[in-house]
Amino acid sequence: LEQGCLTIVVLGASGDLAKKKTFPALYHLFEQGFLQSGEVHIVGYARTNLSDDGLRGRIRAYLKGASEEHVSEFLQLIKYVSGSYDSGEGFEKLNKEISDYEMSNNSGSSRRLFYLALPPSVYPSVCKMIRTYCMSPTSRFGWTRVIVEKPFGRDLDSAEELSSQLGELFEEDQLYRIDHYLGKELVQNLLVLRFANRLFLPLWNRDNVDNIQIVFREDFGTDGRGGYFDQYGIIRDIIQNHLLQVFCLVAMEKPVSLKPEHIRDEKVKVLQSVNPIKDEEVVLGQYQGYKDDPTVPDDSNTPTFASIVLRVHNERWEGVPFILKAGKALNSRKAEIRVQFKDVPGDIFKCKKQGRNEFVIRLQPSEAMYMKLTVKKPGLEMATEQSELDLSYGMRYQDVKIPEAYERLILDTIRGDQQHFVRRDELKAAWQIFTPLLHDIDAGKLKAVSYKPGSRGPKEADELSEKVGYMQTHGYIWIPPT
Ligand code: BG6
């Protein structure tokens, strides 16, 4: 890392995201020596009236299991400033806190990172305040960078409006739109897997691939977040951002180089090649009991489950369905990519029904990659069965601690690497794909069917997958060892 004075300001410091993700990620960076005492200054900012120790106590509660000595040292780096999100007074105070530290540090530099762990409604006013009161002084060596969290708008127009508002205050290279799925180990592995392995190069296309599923499941509901969730729904919460980012990395062409701009150029291209979504290739669901949450309206049609088929209109993927599926309150918690290959022509073993070759990348939990193959069943008979080539990270990389997504992405921001962040035109292209569908749902033209909590979701979703080509291998469930 560059040397010199670094201040990380967490706005919304008393909120859930800050406590559960941002501060623990900062702690882990500190523990690994990326943030050093004497070189980094962390400031929490929020409206709540709290002392420095008050905030430290709240953070400590989320660092259970960590070394007491490290935690105490880390907490000493943290200060708290309280103020509102739209008045100059608080931000003047914040700027004074940062400037005093920079002066006392005497390194001649001023690197300032602002993490907005806040609801998007306050982004414009907070960014304006940062721009007016808290920028790194040009007289000192340094920079100002701002991390913003999704949701970036509700549809194309609102996202574009937000982008313009932020664009008037900051340059694109100062804005880091975080999508934490881009910080997950196996998501980061996708480009390596695809473009550093000769094996996959000739296979990864419409000649060999039958269909691709990108699936997100959670085994809990909207627990206490119903009010927020009901305004957005599963498509805006998970599919339009997390699953679409994964889709880009699975479907894009090889970038010219690993420069962030080259990668993001390819992502934009593949997004622009997606055809409009057809209503008959969408299944929406809502789990029974969702509306029992008092903050959810009784007549809510907000989907907590959606399965959507994307069709890519280009030379590589024409005709291959990409099924993006996400749901809350299902029977398991996992996120995975399933690349299902076409049938072998001339089935001399009569084993077609046992299942196809399938390459599965399990993003979480228990990171793994495995390839389902047909092999001879060991023994005297010439019989076949499905087995797997398995790379389970828990077994292969036993001594390696896989970093948390937020940890990695905050470090990238400090390093100024935007590769794993969403560029403005990428965001626009993503909204272009989903906005017509979302408007139809908001207008009640598409209805969410109800499903039982703890189930696989609506049976209509399995029917849709099978209709567009996915072959279920009934009775075969492979669980990689942890
Ligand atoms: C968040 C969504 O972005 O991602 C949540 O708002 C969801 O609804 C979460 O639970 C899932 O993240 P992860 O890393 O646990 O898969």
Side-chain angles (χ1 to χ4, degrees), residues 150 180-181 184 216 218 225 237-238 242 328 333 364:
K150 63 147 243 270
H180 78 282
Y181 266 61
K184 293 191 186 270
F216 167 97
E218 263 177 356
R225 291 171 79 218
D237 191 46
I238 303 286
H242 302 330
K328 298 226 167 227
R333 173 175 178 258
Q364 66 186 36

Side-chain angles (χ1 to χ4, degrees), residues 5 10 58 62 133 147 176 190 204 214 245 319 325 337 345 347 387-388 415 435 454:
C5 206
V10 181
R58 290 184 180 203
Y62 286 87
Y133 297 100
I147 299 183
Y176 287 70
L190 285 168
W204 213 262
I214 303 174
Q245 285 298 325
K325 200 188 288 187
I337 305 162
D347 180 20
S387 193
E388 51 291 315
R415 289 173 165 157
T435 296

Side-chain angles (χ1 to χ4, degrees), residues 198-214:
R198 179 76 192 217
L199 179 71
F200 290 119
L201 298 180
L203 293 183
W204 213 262
N205 55 42
R206 64 192 299 269
D207 298 334
N208 299 290
V209 175
D210 189 275
N211 61 79
I212 298 184
Q213 295 205 67
I214 303 174

Side-chain angles (χ1 to χ4, degrees), residues 328-390:
K328 298 226 167 227
L330 298 177
N331 55 350
S332 61
R333 173 175 178 258
K334 71 179 170 198
E336 62 186 16
I337 305 162
R338 307 187 82 93
V339 180
Q340 193 170 73
F341 291 91
K342 288 183 189 286
D343 290 328
V344 174
D347 180 20
I348 57 170
F349 298 101
K350 308 271 180 276
C351 63
K352 199 164 146 182
K353 288 220 170 63
Q354 284 177 345
R356 295 172 172 156
N357 288 153
E358 198 166 332
F359 180 47
V360 183
I361 302 163
R362 179 173 291 197
L363 309 179
Q364 66 186 36
S366 315
E367 292 87 346
M369 285 183 257
Y370 55 97
M371 175 75 96
K372 286 164 59 172
L373 299 178
T374 301
V375 297
K376 180 183 166 302
K377 196 171 179 172
L380 294 174
E381 313 250 328
M382 180 46 95
T384 60
E385 68 174 7
Q386 282 242 310
S387 193
E388 51 291 315
L389 287 178
D390 162 35

Side-chain angles (χ1 to χ4, degrees), residues 45 73 75 135 150 171-172 190 228 341 390 412 472:
Y45 184 95
E73 213 184 314
L75 292 176
M135 298 296 280
K150 63 147 243 270
E171 299 298 327
E172 185 62 24
L190 285 168
Y228 152 81
F341 291 91
D390 162 35
D412 282 349
Q472 298 270 8

Side-chain angles (χ1 to χ4, degrees), residues 45 47 83-89 91 122 125-126 129:
Y45 184 95
R47 285 175 306 196
S84 75
Y85 294 123
D86 56 2
S87 83
E89 204 186 317
F91 283 84
V122 298
S125 73
V126 167
M129 292 294 144

